[in-house]
Amino acid sequence: MNTFQDMVLALHRFWRDQGCAIVEPYDLEKGAGTFNPATFFGVLGPRPWRVAYVEPSRRPADGRYGENPIRFGLHHQYQVILKPPPADVQDLYLRSLEAIGLKLREHDVKFSHDDWESPTLGAWGVGWQVWLDGMEITQFTYFQQMGGVDLDPVSVELTYGLERIALFLQGRESAFDLRWAEWLTYGELFRERERQFSVYHFEKASVERARQMFDFHEAEAKECLALGLVFPAYDHTLRCSHLFNTLDARGALATAERESYIARVRALARACAETYLAEVVGARAAP
Amino acid sequence: MPALLLEIGLEDLPAEEAEAVAHAFHRAFQEELRAARIPHGPVRLFWTLRRVALLVEEIAETQEDVVEEVRGPAVAVGLDPQGNPTPAALGFLRRYGGSPQDLLRKKLGDKEYLFLLVRKRGQPVKELLEGIASRALAAVPCSKFMRWDGAMAFLRPVRWVVALWDGEVVPLQLAGVEAGRITQGHRFFGSAVELRRAQDYVAGLRAAKVLVDPEERAQLLRQAITEVEDAYQAKAALSPELWTMLLGQTEWPQPVVGRIPPEFLELPEPVVVAALREEGKFVPFTRGGRIAEVFLGFAEGEGNPQVIRQGYERVVGIRLRDARSFFVEDRRQPLSARVPQLRTVVYEARLGTLWDRVERIRHICGHLARRLGLPADLLDRAAFLCKADLLTVMVREFPELEGVMGGIYARLDGEREEVAQAIGEHVRPRSREDALPESPLGTALSLAEKLDGVIGPIRVGEVPTGSRDPYGVRRRGSAVVRLILEKGLRFDLFALVEEVGDLYPGTEPVEKVQAFLWDRLRSALEERAIPYDVVDAVMAKEDGDFLGVWERAQALSAWVHRPELSALALAFSRVHNITKGQEASGFDPALFAEDAEQELWHAYQRVKPLVEAALAAHRYGAALEELLTLKPSIDRYFDEVLVMCEDGRVRANRLGFLRELSALFLRLADLSRLVVPG
């Protein structure tokens, strides 16, 4: 087992055996697996929840025209949610690394303090970046809040940076040289796409239209919320979030304006969380 | 006496906070022992990022007894009219094992009660430990509290607890975890350790690859750093933050030396240093002002050094490649082209954008250039450019390079060397320990930048109170004072604050800024070990020449233990006291009738020009020495002359003269504030 896909399959097996539902990526642009409804809504409310999935994550500002070995406008996260977290959650995580073939006793593994925060989701947690020989390979977070709502119970979110872990497993220096399958490299799959999206996000995207689209989706989200249609509202919130990222990468936002865009997305996310708790979780709890 | 071990096992604490948390727990635990009257020997503290442990080598089995006053029924209820105890009082006595003659009476408010002195037997310490440890843990201040399973909030989850009383487990629960005798060894290279006795703790963990004594880890780190320094003839570029991180990061540190790929050695030295030190990862080294080709990391545990070294070199290469691309990107436009973009960045809602801040700094620089005799055009150019690097990618990625980067880019843009240096130095000092700028322009620019950061917040009402100082006004105020005192800047700070007053919006008056700075000066003098009475003496009257205040304080301090100064202070006090509150009035020397009057008048006439010349030349020691010569004449004057005499005209004349004499002294200091040994 050495390919990118084998690594994913091994993680799937490992977390399935830990009782996780293996769900699919969500079909909208998003900056991180946290935005997938399986996480955003799953961590809300009292119901125990264990899911795992791959999430292609778009961060326009991180694009490097396909020229940086480990930075991309779109990378792949492996996301695990454990709610409530078991007491041995750190060990469990380390065992998952062993399960995909990392020999941890050969390496330097550190849990380095890094508290996570998503201002657009109104979410924060505390935890670590996990370093393997100094390289960040996982964000490990005890969520404390989501959509502005205090979580009870809390959840642990594990976000593996798959490209980086694969570098270790395959002994490569650049993600573009990774084997995705025996016959296919990561570069063949994604390098040209990386280049094009960098051109688009940094140079060509229409600021004017992105602003307009943001406004449209925001209006649509609000209308859905008024109708109690929380899932469609959340989809439009995700689109707003991605359009904000696009505007940001394009360098179109001055600081103050940037803050106001973040606040607008956060207000939507918060309303989605509250509506979900009231209408969906509340309805489930009702006799 | 038995020994006690208490270990709290945690998920990895933030490396930068582990030491502080451990020390806070150590302190709180000892306070609890004291409050609970438990005699004990030294309490040793051990910690890593995964554990905090206390080893009390000797601890009492039981608390000390204590005698307490216990309140019983009110006298009206407890005693019948004959003064005999009622059933209520007898019940009270029975409960505490007292007899009627032990009853005391005491008023509480307007009612009188019966009291009994009760000796409370000390409890077995083992039974108290749970309360003591939980209260001590709850008293630890954390930067952020998290919840993990609802039981408790702390910096990180508590996962195991060891509590041993010599060889016996103390039954207690902490943060929902039952104490036992099993501690966890190194995550990968040690196993769980069953401790037989409390005293086995350090050795037991060492066998399980945990150096739980921070001093042992520090020695190991220092030795590894020195070895690299010697082997490569280079000097480690440590910082206090990096050291804290390194000490907190590992339980079993293994030094791993890596090499920086040669193509990155061309990058400016501060950039490479910042990239290596980032997040406490690696120790950079320099040689003759340039970055050396090696770096040092500390791996956790006994992993394969070749593998780890390769990994370290890869992340260093990636980060330096990032840094190089930031550098290339930033160089696409000169700093000066970025300045107008400062208009888009909010500095503070009420104080405008960074552009507004720069405009104010330029203004202050204008005043400083005039007062300090500096080239105004160069200083203005440096001020104009000084915040532009905040818009560069490099500073966004490495905030510690603020200012430094501006200096580097300015030099490459072809700005004058003095300008580039001033920009590069202007954020210094960032902390109390940080070095000051070296160049005169850098000093002035730093002063202006700090002053703006003091005046602005205070004028809009952000005066620091207690530990609350969100704008870092106190730190900046202290930097202003440090710059003036240590760089010997002679100008009237109060006049400057007054003159730039119109630049600031806000509700608070200029006087508030001046009072704040005056207070910072007082702290600075106290920190520099100036005796408090000397501080009072030289600060009796507000004075915008802070350097002068400092020099006057030094002059006085040099004499403070000598009897001559005490004697002069007593003499001056007589002059000062008698003239205090008197209206200013002239005097006519022709009216001085008595010898003593004549003598003091002549002495004064002789000394006055000398004192004034010394003051004007800021030779305060010399001024004091001249004043010292007046002492015998003043003493004789007060022995022989009755100032408050019957004749109103003579009296006013004498007071008029003494007032002028007093004023001459006060230009140096109010010596009446000195504490004179009795």
Side-chain angles (χ1 to χ4, degrees):
Chain A
M1 181 199 72
N2 222 340
T3 63
F4 199 96
Q5 62 191 13
D6 288 332
M7 170 180 71
V8 170
L9 290 170
L11 282 170
H12 278 339
R13 271 193 301 277
F14 180 89
W15 288 108
R16 178 202 60 196
D17 293 346
Q18 296 299 326
C20 286
I22 307 299
V23 301
E24 301 301 328
Y26 198 59
D27 61 339
L28 287 177
E29 304 100 322
K30 71 196 74 58
T34 314
F35 288 75
N36 186 313
T39 289
F40 183 84
F41 294 112
V43 300
L44 292 170
R47 184 185 186 188
W49 190 256
R50 284 193 169 202
V51 291
Y53 51 90
V54 176
E55 193 70 57
S57 302
R58 293 180 189 243
R59 295 185 180 169
D62 286 353
R64 292 289 186 274
Y65 296 83
E67 288 163 13
N68 184 298
I70 57 157
R71 279 192 192 269
F72 325 95
L74 189 154
H75 71 290
H76 296 81
Q77 296 186 341
Y78 194 89
Q79 165 93 355
V80 179
I81 292 292
L82 300 169
K83 169 192 173 190
D88 63 345
V89 58
Q90 279 185 303
D91 284 340
L92 199 55
Y93 161 74
L94 292 170
R95 292 216 307 274
S96 76
L97 295 182
E98 303 267 9
I100 58 176
L102 285 173
K103 295 185 179 62
L104 297 182
R105 288 172 56 96
E106 294 258 288
H107 295 277
D108 167 30
V109 182
K110 292 194 182 100
F111 286 82
S112 174
H113 170 214
D114 189 46
D115 294 342
W116 171 88
E117 184 182 15
S118 167
T120 48
L121 281 183
W124 67 274
V126 310
W128 309 277
Q129 296 177 352
V130 181
W131 289 348
L132 189 63
D133 300 339
M135 184 183 289
E136 180 199 348
I137 57 163
T138 301
Q139 189 80 32
F140 189 133
T141 306
Y142 283 90
F143 279 156
Q144 305 287 303
Q145 237 187 32
M146 179 64 86
V149 177
D150 282 332
L151 300 181
D152 185 19
V154 303
S155 297
V156 156
E157 179 194 64
L158 303 173
T159 303
Y160 302 69
L162 291 178
E163 285 84 353
R164 293 171 174 214
I165 295 172
L167 291 181
F168 285 94
L169 289 172
Q170 300 189 24
R172 305 280 178 183
E173 293 298 314
S174 163
F176 295 106
D177 298 332
L178 292 171
R179 298 257 139 218
W180 185 277
E182 293 294 345
W183 58 272
L184 182 65
T185 68
Y186 190 94
E188 288 168 314
L189 268 171
F190 299 124
R191 193 194 283 270
E192 176 59 12
R193 187 178 77 178
E194 278 298 318
R195 191 192 65 77
Q196 290 200 12
F197 269 107
S198 288
V199 172
Y200 175 71
H201 284 132
F202 292 128
E203 302 166 26
K204 306 294 181 201
S206 157
V207 171
E208 189 46 43
R209 282 192 290 272
R211 285 180 194 274
Q212 287 173 3
M213 285 191 278
F214 185 100
D215 294 344
F216 285 138
H217 286 297
E218 184 188 38
E220 201 70 0
K222 284 181 178 164
E223 204 156 305
C224 290
L225 281 165
L227 296 169
L229 296 172
V230 62
F231 290 104
Y234 185 68
D235 277 14
H236 289 293
T237 304
L238 290 184
R239 292 187 176 106
C240 285
S241 169
H242 178 67
L243 287 160
F244 160 72
N245 289 340
T246 303
L247 286 166
D248 200 28
R250 194 77 175 74
L253 302 177
T255 317
E257 198 185 14
R258 194 169 180 279
E259 292 305 313
S260 101
Y261 268 99
I262 291 174
R264 287 164 71 184
V265 181
R266 183 168 56 236
L268 294 177
R270 191 180 273 261
C272 287
E274 283 164 4
T275 307
Y276 174 80
L277 281 172
E279 313 243 325
V280 183
V281 178
R284 198 159 54 212
Chain B
M1 279 202 274
L4 169 71
L5 169 70
L6 180 69
E7 182 195 46
I8 301 174
L10 298 143
E11 293 188 4
D12 305 51
L13 295 171
E16 67 275 20
E17 203 176 339
E19 182 172 17
V21 162
H23 282 276
F25 182 65
H26 184 227
R27 264 194 311 276
F29 189 84
Q30 292 182 87
E31 271 161 33
E32 290 293 335
L33 288 183
R34 193 159 35 247
R37 307 180 314 278
I38 300 173
H40 61 84
V43 181
R44 299 186 61 193
L45 168 67
F46 302 101
W47 63 271
T48 71
L49 75 169
R50 289 181 72 210
R51 64 197 83 226
V52 177
L54 303 176
L55 183 59
V56 193
E57 276 153 20
E58 290 184 310
I59 189 162
E61 302 265 2
T62 49
Q63 277 177 296
E64 285 176 337
D65 293 351
V66 68
V67 176
E68 276 181 2
E69 265 186 0
V70 182
R71 194 178 82 182
V75 169
V77 178
L79 299 179
D80 67 15
Q82 285 72 46
N84 297 318
T86 64
L90 291 170
F92 171 62
L93 287 170
R94 247 194 324 278
R95 211 162 107 220
Y96 291 98
S99 50
Q101 64 269 25
D102 299 334
L103 285 172
L104 305 169
R105 298 159 73 133
K106 218 169 151 180
K107 259 192 126 142
L108 272 186
D110 52 0
K111 228 169 157 190
E112 208 179 9
Y113 289 90
L114 292 174
F115 277 85
L116 206 52
L117 287 179
V118 178
R119 188 173 190 85
K120 272 181 116 174
R121 313 286 316 171
Q123 305 271 102
V125 170
K126 265 183 275 184
E127 292 171 19
L128 299 171
L129 277 174
E130 181 172 278
I132 287 171
S134 329
R135 283 192 299 275
L137 192 61
V140 173
C142 301
S143 61
K144 205 181 265 184
F145 286 89
M146 65 168 285
R147 290 169 297 115
W148 58 97
D149 63 6
M152 169 174 187
F154 195 61
L155 186 57
R156 286 293 180 272
V158 174
R159 290 307 184 194
W160 76 86
V161 176
V162 174
L164 283 179
W165 186 265
D166 276 340
E168 174 196 344
V169 173
V170 186
L172 60 82
Q173 259 201 16
L174 215 48
V177 178
E178 198 76 44
R181 63 169 72 247
I182 294 179
T183 181
Q184 299 300 317
H186 191 275
R187 182 173 273 136
F188 300 110
F189 300 94
S191 48
V193 182
E194 186 166 344
L195 295 168
R196 211 170 46 80
R197 299 180 321 140
Q199 294 86 337
D200 298 345
Y201 182 64
V202 176
L205 276 177
R206 186 178 295 111
K209 309 281 159 117
V210 173
L211 287 181
V212 75
D213 184 344
E215 191 40 46
E216 276 187 59
R217 294 198 304 278
Q219 269 177 29
L220 195 150
L221 301 185
R222 275 194 292 265
Q223 193 190 333
I225 291 169
T226 310
E227 276 171 19
V228 175
E229 285 182 328
D230 293 347
Y232 293 89
Q233 291 301 303
K235 179 101 190 66
L238 285 171
S239 67
E241 295 78 19
L242 178 62
W243 178 257
T244 305
M245 292 291 288
L246 295 175
L247 192 61
Q249 245 170 22
T250 49
E251 300 207 283
W252 190 257
Q254 178 191 186
V256 175
V257 178
R259 281 183 174 265
I260 300 172
E263 72 251 44
F264 299 119
L265 296 173
E266 302 300 312
L267 282 167
E269 178 253 6
V271 171
V272 182
V273 168
L276 287 165
R277 287 209 292 225
E278 198 177 22
E279 299 174 302
K281 276 186 184 163
F282 303 113
V283 183
F285 293 82
T286 59
R287 190 188 298 118
R290 295 177 54 99
I291 194 79
E293 69 281 11
V294 281
F295 65 87
L296 173 64
F298 290 93
E300 173 64 302
E302 300 184 327
N304 180 332
Q306 275 79 44
V307 171
I308 295 169
R309 173 188 169 149
Q310 212 181 3
Y312 282 0
E313 288 178 349
R314 176 164 57 193
V315 286
V316 164
I318 288 171
R319 198 55 181 146
L320 289 176
R321 189 178 332 196
D322 273 351
R324 190 173 53 191
S325 72
F326 304 149
F327 192 75
V328 171
E329 155 126 30
D330 286 344
R331 289 283 297 133
R332 289 207 181 122
Q333 47 175 321
L335 271 189
S336 55
R338 294 181 193 274
V339 175
Q341 299 161 37
L342 292 171
R343 284 199 176 89
T344 68
V345 184
V346 176
Y347 168 57
E348 204 276 343
R350 292 158 293 182
L351 297 169
T353 63
L354 283 177
W355 169 269
D356 298 320
R357 172 152 156 81
V358 166
E359 285 295 292
R360 292 192 299 262
I361 292 172
R362 291 175 70 185
H363 244 96
I364 298 173
C365 280
H367 287 282
L368 284 173
R370 230 176 312 113
R371 288 188 153 80
L372 301 174
L374 297 168
D377 51 340
L378 294 185
L379 185 54
D380 183 61
R381 182 69 182 167
F384 176 72
L385 296 171
C386 75
K387 292 299 167 197
D389 71 350
L390 289 174
L391 298 172
T392 62
V393 189
M394 191 72 87
V395 172
R396 198 176 65 210
E397 291 279 329
F398 301 105
E400 67 169 277
L401 291 178
E402 182 191 345
V404 175
M405 229 43 238
I408 291 169
Y409 288 144
R411 196 166 288 121
L412 291 168
D413 287 348
E415 300 287 344
R416 293 271 295 263
E417 176 53 31
E418 303 95 302
V419 170
Q421 187 177 358
I423 296 169
E425 294 177 336
H426 89 281
V427 294
R428 288 176 11 199
R430 295 160 190 272
S431 64
R432 291 158 56 110
E433 297 77 25
D434 198 10
L436 298 182
E438 280 163 22
S439 71
L441 287 186
T443 301
L445 185 54
S446 167
L447 186 62
E449 194 251 13
K450 305 290 178 293
L451 261 181
D452 180 65
V454 169
I455 304 176
I458 292 183
R459 291 296 299 277
V460 298
E462 294 290 345
V463 185
T465 52
S467 60
R468 224 191 83 83
D469 185 12
Y471 293 84
V473 173
R474 223 183 256 125
R475 177 180 65 76
R476 291 208 177 95
S478 297
V480 167
V481 172
R482 246 189 95 190
L483 285 161
I484 293 174
L485 305 195
E486 292 177 28
K487 289 290 174 179
L489 306 182
R490 194 172 313 278
F491 68 98
D492 186 337
L493 180 61
F494 289 162
L496 174 66
V497 169
E498 188 96 42
E499 277 172 17
V500 300
D502 292 344
L503 301 176
Y504 295 87
T507 47
E508 301 296 329
V510 168
E511 289 73 29
K512 214 158 196 170
V513 178
Q514 295 169 333
F516 174 81
L517 290 167
W518 188 242
D519 188 57
R520 289 288 92 200
L521 174 61
R522 181 179 297 276
S523 303
L525 296 186
E526 282 163 5
E527 278 167 23
R528 285 164 171 74
I530 301 293
Y532 74 93
D533 56 334
V534 171
V535 175
D536 284 344
V538 296
M539 295 189 75
K541 201 166 125 280
E542 290 204 349
D543 181 353
D545 174 14
F546 279 25
L547 180 62
V549 176
W550 163 233
E551 290 169 343
R552 290 190 279 122
Q554 286 173 294
L556 233 53
S557 297
W559 282 84
V560 84
H561 295 300
R562 295 169 61 172
E564 294 95 316
L565 182 62
S566 299
L568 183 68
L570 285 174
F572 171 73
S573 294
R574 301 169 87 172
V575 179
H576 189 59
N577 289 338
I578 208 161
T579 55
K580 221 186 294 179
Q582 299 288 340
E583 289 294 313
S585 60
F587 61 93
D588 178 2
L591 293 176
F592 293 150
E594 301 187 30
D595 283 354
E597 252 182 320
Q598 290 288 349
E599 180 189 321
L600 183 57
W601 165 240
H602 290 307
Y604 171 71
Q605 279 181 299
R606 182 182 58 76
V607 161
K608 184 180 181 215
L610 299 174
V611 171
E612 284 179 336
L615 290 174
H618 311 293
R619 293 170 47 240
Y620 300 106
L624 178 59
E625 283 174 38
E626 292 303 336
L627 289 171
L628 281 166
T629 64
L630 289 175
K631 193 252 170 196
S633 311
I634 296 174
D635 284 347
R636 182 176 170 210
Y637 183 96
F638 279 96
D639 290 346
E640 296 180 11
V641 178
L642 180 63
V643 179
M644 305 309 257
C645 62
E646 292 291 321
D647 185 334
R649 218 164 61 91
V650 173
R651 186 173 66 219
N653 196 57
R654 286 174 178 165
L655 284 171
F657 167 53
L658 289 178
R659 211 179 169 287
E660 198 176 298
L661 178 64
S662 170
L664 183 66
F665 273 84
L666 288 175
R667 288 173 63 185
L668 180 70
D670 180 353
L671 298 181
S672 71
R673 310 240 180 175
L674 294 183
V675 176
V676 175

